[in-house]
Amino acid sequence: MDKYQKPITAFAILTDANKKYHPDRYESSFLGTRVLYEFNSYKVLNQNPEELLASNNPFAIVILVVHTAIHAKKLNDNQIFPLKIELTKRLLAKEISKTKIRQLLNFLKYYIRFENKETEVKFEEELDFITEKRKTMGIEEFLLDRAKKEGERESAVKFVNTLIKETTFSVEKIASLVGVSVDFVNKLKAEMKN
């Protein structure tokens, strides 16, 4: 305010896991002097992940990463890995500048950490694959884009069945390309055998 002669506002972004903790002021007093500073607060834990995903604001992805990290403290590497991959894919699907995407990917990479170094290496390899795929526009990116566009369950079923019949992709690969769970693909694969 002193520098630019403009009114200001302040936001505290609360990244803790305590739903009841929601401060909106700082107070201090000593020997007759009292300071009261009121501010806006934004509780990450109270945000809706679906709304964050739907937003085109890059800050929504940052909040989604923090939201995921809060919940990730209760998860193991095997549960965190697909979450980070999904966040990466969602981020890359947004119409955001390459510089912002790079910054957000770095934030995702370092904010939600894996316990096991091997999982970190696996994530790095997958990240390289996903980002390289976007550059080369290979068949897998085409399949991923097609799966995202079709979106509906019936289309997903048809598309998974086609991939099972006509490719040698693993169940995990098919699930990743179509954007469905491994269980979903396994179920369809079992139905095809019957």
Side-chain angles (χ1 to χ4, degrees), residues 29-55:
S29 61
F30 182 70
L31 295 175
T33 300
R34 182 170 177 257
V35 174
L36 171 63
Y37 183 68
E38 295 179 323
F39 50 86
N40 301 292
S41 60
Y42 182 88
K43 187 79 170 183
V44 173
L45 195 62
N46 295 341
Q47 304 312 306
N48 182 327
E50 286 78 25
E51 289 176 12
L52 293 170
L53 277 173
S55 174

Side-chain angles (χ1 to χ4, degrees), residues 130-183:
I130 291 168
T131 54
E132 183 60 30
K133 178 179 66 179
R134 288 179 56 81
K135 292 179 203 164
T136 60
M137 188 57 178
I139 185 68
E140 292 172 26
E141 183 180 9
F142 169 75
L143 294 172
L144 178 61
D145 288 344
R146 180 174 164 191
K148 282 184 179 178
K149 287 175 187 170
E150 291 181 355
E152 297 175 18
R153 188 183 189 287
E154 297 82 27
S155 296
V157 168
K158 185 177 177 183
F159 195 45
V160 166
N161 285 336
T162 301
L163 289 174
I164 291 169
K165 288 178 193 172
E166 297 182 15
T167 71
T168 57
F169 291 150
S170 68
V171 169
E172 292 78 12
K173 183 69 151 182
I174 292 171
S176 174
L177 290 171
V178 181
V180 296
S181 70
V182 171
D183 290 339

Side-chain angles (χ1 to χ4, degrees), residues 81 84-85 88-89 92 105-106 108-109 121-133:
F81 186 85
K84 285 183 76 166
I85 293 298
T88 300
K89 288 178 181 177
L92 293 170
L105 281 174
N106 283 333
L108 169 63
K109 196 160 82 174
V121 169
K122 183 179 170 188
F123 177 75
E124 288 289 335
E125 290 170 355
E126 187 71 19
L127 185 60
D128 287 345
F129 173 76
I130 291 168
T131 54
E132 183 60 30
K133 178 179 66 179

